[in-house]
Amino acid sequence: GIPSVAVYTDPDRYALHVKRADESYNVGSDPLAGYLNPRQLVNLAVETGCDALHPGYGFLSENAELAKICAERGIKFIGPAADVITRMGDKTEARRSMIAAGVPVTPGTEGNLADLDEALREAERVGYPVMLKATSGGGGRGIRRCNNREELESAYPRVISEATKAFGSAEVFLEKCIIEPRHIEVQILADHHGSVVHLYERDCSIQRRNQKLIELAPSPQLSDEQRDYIGQLAVRVARECGYVNAGTVEFLVTPETGEYFFIECNPRIQVEHTVTEQI
């Protein structure tokens, strides 16, 4: 019974969501320009009388400015607050928050690297192999495994360049590379009254070029005790950052020792949420 307003660009004019919505509006011919203009989208929401705005799982879904503009214009943003998006989107800031909360993180730099010399020093301290990562990275971009000093020297300018082009930021950090871990992500859901639950885990260890290919739920690699523990860790992460709405907390689990390492929190719904819905 709630009327819905959809936006679309020219390539999506025949998309199913355009047909199903009560109202639909064209926001341009170019998807990037149309879907990445937060002020235009919020203005349209206000003009059409919307109470709330759902950002989906791409484009502006992790954009703190969109959440901020929604708050300024009296539109309910269906997602976490702008400051939470900012903190979770910055991977080094997220690492610091988790360390303070007692959540285990992969050994690495506390903040961003100043230059290649610092990267080489930190790699010696942490021990090779290491992962060089863009602070604002995601989607398998801005990340390189370095097995020795020579590979790090070669990868550093490449990651800087890739991060700048893809995310508009040249900031990078370094962490220990966990060899052949299980990649486990936990779906969380939190409300405005302080309630946080986890909806169990998905195993996304099957990947190609740092991109997830197959997600399994529940994970065949976890015992009931491990499943309960990693779920509670995810809830602790959500409570620590004041999370509201749906989100995903991602961990690496070592196969031999069963250690858990927080790697990031995605402050949005993911395409993989349908896997969780099935269970």
Side-chain angles (χ1 to χ4, degrees), residues 81-216:
D83 63 321
V84 175
I85 296 175
T86 299
R87 189 150 41 123
M88 290 296 103
D90 185 314
K91 289 181 169 55
T92 53
E93 183 61 35
R95 280 172 60 87
R96 278 193 285 263
S97 298
M98 294 308 105
I99 291 170
V103 175
V105 302
T106 48
T109 55
E110 193 166 317
N112 296 316
L113 294 165
D115 50 32
L116 176 58
D117 288 339
E118 184 181 8
L120 293 170
R121 288 195 303 272
E122 288 296 320
E124 290 295 334
R125 178 182 66 83
V126 172
Y128 290 99
V130 296
M131 298 296 286
L132 188 62
K133 292 184 174 183
T135 301
S136 302
R141 291 174 294 177
I143 179 172
R144 290 285 190 284
R145 173 177 170 173
C146 306
N147 295 305
N148 51 53
R149 182 185 181 94
E150 291 72 27
E151 289 186 10
L152 180 54
E153 289 175 337
S154 173
Y156 190 84
R158 293 183 187 177
V159 172
I160 293 283
S161 174
E162 191 172 329
T164 303
K165 290 176 183 175
F167 312 111
S169 170
E171 294 180 332
V172 296
F173 69 104
L174 181 147
E175 64 185 18
K176 178 72 175 175
C177 177
I178 310 300
I179 306 298
E180 295 186 358
R182 307 305 302 179
H183 190 159
I184 306 293
E185 56 189 24
V186 181
Q187 182 74 52
I188 55 169
L189 199 61
D191 66 19
H192 285 280
H193 309 288
S195 300
V196 184
V197 297
H198 71 83
L199 303 176
Y200 299 95
E201 83 291 349
R202 301 184 293 261
D203 190 320
C204 50
S205 302
I206 301 173
Q207 301 182 12
R208 176 177 179 266
R209 295 181 180 175
N210 301 312
Q211 288 276 30
K212 302 163 189 174
L213 293 180
I214 297 174
E215 301 238 355
L216 304 173

